[in-house]
């Protein structure tokens, strides 16, 4: 029997942050287990044979407005100051995404773009971000034409491929995270701090876990190991419905089939990420050497084919946010509240479409609440 004060299930971002804080601030022992053979969860990265750092589960670009989060991670890594710019192929043209004033001039003749720009600024104001589902409500005929254009060319095809649903069938926050931006700012994110750990995410995580009070066990499935571990507190970052043996039913997720290809060329595309809302069955191509400005005669790419999550076949990557699924999750959450000293966190524990910043924020909030 393994006896430990804190057991953390899942060695992804939320589990690692929690382990790091418990060991460093509370000076308590932590055992962190993961069924996979690597740490880092879906943020895991590695250097491939050509010396290019590859994100095994697709592109991860860190950004935050939180001083606390930035300074915490910065104890364990330096940053390559990467600012993410995404292009989308619309009618065969490379267009900055999120759709912004520069995009307008890429797809329309200058006169038409100017008219639309003036109307957009008049109706919404400069430097404003408008979710596409909001923009579609506009009554102005020209702006309505623009909204339909962006909806059909940028969002509809991509969202159907990504989620298997239209934007309306999903929680508005899903497409709301990539709003139309009435600005010339081409960046995908506007947060104060943005970057990629200069030696990769995995190296940063190794340092966060490097503490005499933290023990990591990989290839360890909680369902098989739980009877052999005695703990005072459990932090569970896996799927909440699995923890409760699916008693209220399954929670659906989307997963990804990421196909990696190495091409014998220095550069393949004009940005780290290029989205394909209209063409092909994949949603986007990522070219990894951009993230750390790595030099190689070759380049490694991933093509993302979204698919449904199926037990035993692929991983749970994206919770599918809609009212029905939220209602199922809420029932599990009620059940979770009855368990003293068991806490659910992370993308799967919270059934939230968290980015890295929000995942860390969630773990720190929970840590703050238990450390009292
Ligand atoms: N989206 C879209 N077209 C795009 C980019 C994003 O329709 O060109 C929508 C789509 O529904 C996507 C969501 O916005 O799932 C969030 O996009 P993001 O790039 O944040 O996705 P992630 O990197 O989390 O997969």
């Amino acid at each position: 029997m393994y006896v430990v004060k804190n057991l953390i299930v899942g060695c992804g971002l939320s589990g690692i942050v929690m382990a790091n804080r418990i060991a460093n601030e509370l000076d308590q022992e932590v055992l962190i287990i993961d069924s996979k053979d690597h740490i880092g969860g879906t943020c895991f990265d590695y250097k491939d044979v050509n010396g290019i750092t590859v994100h095994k589960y697709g592109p991860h670009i860190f950004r935050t407005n939180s001083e606390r989060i930035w300074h915490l991670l910065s104890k364990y890594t330096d940053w390559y100051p990467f600012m993410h710019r995404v292009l989308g192929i619309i009618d065969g043209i490379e267009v900055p995404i999120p759709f912004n004033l520069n995009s307008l001039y890429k797809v329309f003749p200058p006169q038409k773009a100017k008219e639309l720009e003036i109307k957009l600024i008049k109706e919404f104001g400069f430097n404003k971000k408008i979710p596409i589902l909001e923009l579609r409500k506009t009554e102005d005929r020209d702006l309505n034409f623009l909204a339909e254009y962006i909806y059909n060319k940028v969002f509809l095809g991509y969202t159907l491929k990504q989620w298997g649903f239209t934007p309306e069938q999903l929680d508005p926050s899903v497409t709301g995270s990539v709003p139309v931006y009435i600005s010339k700012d081409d960046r995908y994110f506007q947060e104060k701090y943005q970057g990629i750990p200069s030696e990769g995410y995995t190296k940063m995580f190794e340092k966060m876990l490097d503490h005499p009070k933290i023990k990591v066990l990989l290839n360890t499935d909680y369902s098989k190991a739980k009877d052999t571990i005695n703990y005072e507190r459990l932090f569970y970052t896996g799927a909440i419905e699995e923890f409760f043996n699916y008693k209220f039913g399954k929670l659906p997720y989307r997963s990804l089939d990421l196909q990696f290809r190495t091409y014998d060329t220095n550069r393949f595309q004009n940005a780290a990420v290029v989205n394909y809302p209209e063409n092909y069955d994949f949603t986007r191509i990522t070219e990894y050497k951009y993230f750390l400005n790595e030099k190689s005669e070759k380049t490694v790419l991933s093509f993302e084919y979204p698919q449904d999550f199926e037990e035993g076949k692929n991983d749970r990557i994206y919770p599918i946010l809609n009212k029905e699924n939220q209602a199922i999750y809420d029932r599990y959450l009620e059940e979770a509240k009855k368990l003293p000293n068991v806490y659910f966190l992370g993308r799967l524990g919270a059934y939230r479409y968290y980015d890295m910043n929000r995942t860390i924020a969630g773990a720190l909030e929970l840590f703050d609440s238990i450390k009292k």
Side-chain angles (χ1 to χ4, degrees):
M1 185 60 84
Y2 209 102
V3 182
V4 70
K5 192 163 175 72
N6 300 284
L7 172 63
I8 300 181
V9 175
C11 196
L13 185 54
S14 56
I16 291 171
V17 169
M18 188 55 83
N20 176 275
R21 289 299 84 204
I22 291 175
N24 283 283
E25 284 194 46
L26 305 183
D27 199 31
Q28 290 179 5
E29 274 195 340
V30 184
L31 172 65
I32 181 164
I33 66 171
D34 201 293
S35 57
K36 292 224 182 286
D37 62 0
H38 62 74
I39 63 167
T42 48
C43 301
F44 174 74
D45 60 11
Y46 61 94
K47 253 190 206 295
D48 78 346
V49 287
N50 298 303
I52 299 170
T53 305
V54 176
H55 302 179
K56 182 173 182 186
Y57 301 90
H60 283 73
I61 299 96
F62 186 74
R63 71 278 182 187
T64 184
N65 279 323
S66 158
E67 309 279 333
R68 182 185 182 192
I69 291 175
W70 182 252
H71 290 130
L72 173 64
L73 297 188
S74 301
K75 286 189 198 165
Y76 304 97
T77 188
D78 288 331
W79 298 93
Y80 181 72
F82 180 80
M83 287 200 183
H84 196 34
R85 287 184 168 77
V86 172
L87 297 169
I89 307 293
I90 311 296
D91 293 339
I93 301 168
E94 288 179 342
V95 172
I97 303 285
F99 199 95
N100 59 50
L101 296 179
N102 298 318
S103 321
L104 207 54
Y105 283 86
K106 288 269 182 182
V107 294
F108 296 118
Q111 183 66 26
K112 179 84 184 158
K114 188 80 209 161
E115 281 166 27
L116 290 168
E117 178 180 10
I118 290 166
K119 281 209 163 179
L120 274 174
I121 295 172
K122 192 157 169 249
E123 177 138 344
F124 299 102
F126 184 70
N127 208 25
K128 290 286 175 334
K129 293 180 173 172
I130 318 295
I132 185 60
L133 296 178
E134 288 299 312
L135 190 64
R136 282 188 98 200
K137 291 182 190 151
T138 171
E139 281 171 11
D140 181 276
R141 237 186 60 198
D142 293 329
L143 289 184
N144 202 268
F145 157 81
L146 177 65
E148 290 310 298
Y149 180 91
I150 300 172
Y151 177 82
N152 285 307
K153 301 278 182 185
V154 179
F155 287 96
L156 185 58
Y158 192 104
T159 304
L160 281 170
K161 280 193 265 186
Q162 173 69 24
W163 301 97
F165 292 106
T166 65
E168 291 75 14
Q169 291 169 319
L170 296 161
D171 189 275
S173 63
V174 174
T175 47
S177 69
V178 189
V180 174
Y181 193 11
I182 306 176
S183 160
K184 298 239 173 194
D185 187 345
D186 267 350
R187 295 170 305 166
Y188 209 62
F189 307 118
Q190 276 75 38
E191 279 84 349
K192 176 172 178 185
Y193 302 108
Q194 311 190 15
I196 309 285
S198 51
E199 291 182 81
Y201 289 98
T202 305
K203 278 272 167 338
M204 176 178 82
F205 295 147
E206 282 168 1
K207 289 185 185 151
M208 292 175 80
L209 293 168
D210 183 16
H211 188 287
K213 297 246 157 137
I214 300 177
K215 183 170 167 56
V216 181
L217 275 183
L218 297 176
N219 302 303
T220 303
D221 203 297
Y222 172 69
S223 60
K224 296 190 188 113
K226 66 181 175 201
D227 297 332
T228 65
I229 307 172
N230 201 324
Y231 54 80
E232 280 178 35
R233 266 199 299 232
L234 171 63
F235 298 91
Y236 191 86
T237 75
I240 194 168
E241 68 279 18
E242 200 173 30
F243 183 89
F244 288 111
N245 280 322
Y246 303 98
K247 66 196 282 188
F248 302 125
K250 287 187 176 176
L251 278 167
Y253 297 83
R254 284 296 263 182
S255 187
L256 290 176
D257 174 16
L258 276 167
Q259 296 194 5
F260 289 93
R261 290 180 209 162
T262 301
Y263 286 165
D264 204 356
T265 180
N266 190 31
R267 275 265 181 272
F268 173 77
Q269 59 190 24
N270 288 324
V273 173
V274 177
N275 289 357
Y276 290 81
E278 296 185 288
N279 299 96
Y280 309 111
D281 297 329
F282 50 81
T283 48
R284 59 186 176 189
I285 301 177
T286 301
E287 183 165 12
Y288 287 91
K289 69 197 314 189
Y290 273 95
F291 292 133
L292 291 169
N293 194 24
E294 288 166 327
K295 306 289 177 218
S296 168
E297 292 306 304
K298 308 223 174 181
T299 195
V300 58
L301 313 169
S302 67
F303 294 66
E304 284 182 44
Y305 294 87
Q307 51 183 224
D308 277 334
F309 161 72
E310 284 176 54
E311 188 83 54
K313 178 184 162 196
N314 50 27
D315 295 307
R316 294 176 172 91
I317 297 194
Y318 296 95
I320 302 180
L321 294 188
N322 60 30
K323 288 203 178 82
E324 198 186 327
N325 300 340
Q326 183 62 44
I328 302 174
Y329 176 75
D330 288 345
R331 295 187 71 191
Y332 283 115
L333 198 57
E334 279 308 308
E335 206 64 7
K337 284 183 191 150
K338 294 180 196 156
L339 297 176
N341 301 334
V342 181
Y343 305 93
F344 292 87
L345 66 159
R347 230 189 218 206
L348 305 185
Y351 200 65
R352 285 279 174 281
Y353 184 14
Y354 281 160
D355 56 29
M356 284 183 282
N357 174 52
R358 281 189 292 161
T359 304
I360 298 172
L364 291 178
E365 270 164 38
L366 177 58
F367 174 73
D368 288 345
S369 74
I370 58 133
K371 80 174 177 190
K372 285 171 201 142

